[in-house]
Amino acid sequence: MIIEVEGLRKRYGPRKAVDGVTLSVREGEFFGVLGPNGAGKSTLVEIIEGLRPADSGTVRVLGRPSWPRDLDLLARLGIQTQSSAFFTRHTAREHLRRVAALHRVSSVKADGVLTLVGLDDSADTRVEKLSGGQRQRLAIASALTHDPELLFLDEPTAALDPLARKQLWGLLKSLSDRTVIYTTHHLDEAETLCDRVAIIQRGQIVAVDTPVGLRERTGTATLEDAYLALVAA
Ligand code: ADP
């Protein structure tokens, strides 16, 4: 198992953000984390990443506890967040080469990742001039330069227009042989991309299954309908 979470709990004052979560993620899985706003997704994912401590329970990532914070383990993860930071006065290529240098990865490799995410045509464009979709590609590229063993993507299509969102799907699909933890509110995306999804509500797992399994279980035609049936139950 790449990720093993057992009996995880985290509260903020009286609020139980994560309330007894147990789950595991296998190597090569594209694993979706779904749930309403405030359900505890970010808290859960950040605890798994080793960026927040839990109150109790255990988390093992790549076979190691992720807390106390383990910089060697973090170096093996790729993390794209909603607040990904950029070297804004740089071009896309320069930005990625600097990110790569921080990981002691060569410029040649960085340029290869720029190609992989489809940004060759924008390589000389300053980061601040990139479109939302191009910026998300660069954020994903930044999480990929060091060829991480586990990739976390946090709503990479959140602020994109419908066309840019669909265009990003091709890139996301191309990552499907990696192990990816993927947070999204777009159920159509999760249905297309994810091998399995966990639906979280009020800090607890409502269901973990394949999109097909969730549809069958709820007698619905789409993952979106399955999701709505499960979170409304
Ligand atoms: P989601 O990512 O699903 O929207 P979060 O993990 O961000 O949910 O939040 C879960 C709950 O924990 C929410 O009620 C939120 O207000 C609360 N919460 C999250 N982070 C903090 C924090 N740093 N301090 C206090 N409460 C928090």
Side-chain angles (χ1 to χ4, degrees):
M1 290 295 168
I2 294 279
I3 296 174
E4 287 172 282
V5 174
E6 222 176 299
L8 203 67
R9 291 179 196 279
K10 171 83 176 180
R11 43 161 84 222
Y12 297 107
R15 181 173 287 276
K16 295 174 180 171
V18 177
D19 188 15
V21 166
T22 296
L23 63 84
S24 51
V25 177
R26 291 185 283 271
E27 186 168 4
E29 272 196 301
F30 207 111
F31 189 89
V33 179
L34 315 177
N37 288 330
K41 303 180 298 296
S42 308
T43 305
L44 171 64
V45 170
E46 288 188 13
I47 292 171
I48 293 173
E49 292 167 343
L51 301 178
R52 294 196 209 190
D55 295 336
S56 60
T58 58
V59 179
R60 295 183 78 79
V61 176
L62 302 172
R64 298 159 69 140
S66 58
W67 192 269
R69 190 169 291 149
D70 179 343
L71 293 181
D72 291 333
L73 177 60
L74 270 173
R76 296 164 66 190
L77 311 181
I79 299 176
Q80 168 265 330
T81 69
Q82 289 296 296
S83 53
S84 287
F86 295 102
F87 298 107
T88 48
R89 310 295 284 180
H90 293 44
T91 66
R93 184 191 289 118
E94 289 166 345
H95 164 82
L96 203 59
R97 286 184 176 182
R98 281 198 65 184
V99 170
L102 296 173
H103 290 289
R104 302 186 195 287
V105 169
S106 71
S107 293
V108 174
K109 274 209 167 150
D111 292 353
V113 175
L114 205 64
T115 304
L116 179 83
V117 301
L119 279 181
D120 272 342
D121 289 348
S122 314
D124 296 318
T125 304
R126 284 228 219 139
V127 169
E128 58 203 356
K129 298 235 167 82
L130 294 175
S131 70
Q134 290 167 334
R135 211 176 279 224
Q136 283 302 341
R137 285 173 192 271
L138 191 59
I140 293 170
S142 304
L144 280 175
T145 50
H146 58 299
D147 198 18
E149 290 160 72
L150 173 57
L151 182 63
F152 292 88
L153 300 177
D154 180 20
E155 296 189 50
T157 57
L160 302 184
D161 66 66
L163 178 61
R165 188 163 84 82
K166 279 276 158 62
Q167 287 170 342
L168 200 66
W169 285 20
L171 169 58
L172 296 171
K173 277 187 184 153
S174 75
L175 302 173
S176 66
D177 52 345
R178 293 176 172 270
T179 313
V180 181
I181 307 302
Y182 179 60
T183 311
T184 187
H185 282 301
H186 291 296
L187 283 301
D188 52 346
E189 240 157 63
E191 179 144 30
T192 304
L193 296 167
C194 294
D195 298 310
R196 284 194 306 150
V197 300
I199 297 177
I200 316 250
Q201 192 173 28
R202 291 186 282 273
Q204 299 183 337
I205 291 190
V206 177
V208 187
D209 206 338
T210 60
V212 172
L214 291 174
R215 284 184 349 232
E216 285 175 359
R217 194 191 298 193
T218 50
T220 50
T222 63
L223 178 62
E224 179 157 17
D225 287 340
Y227 170 92
L228 291 172
L230 286 160
V231 299

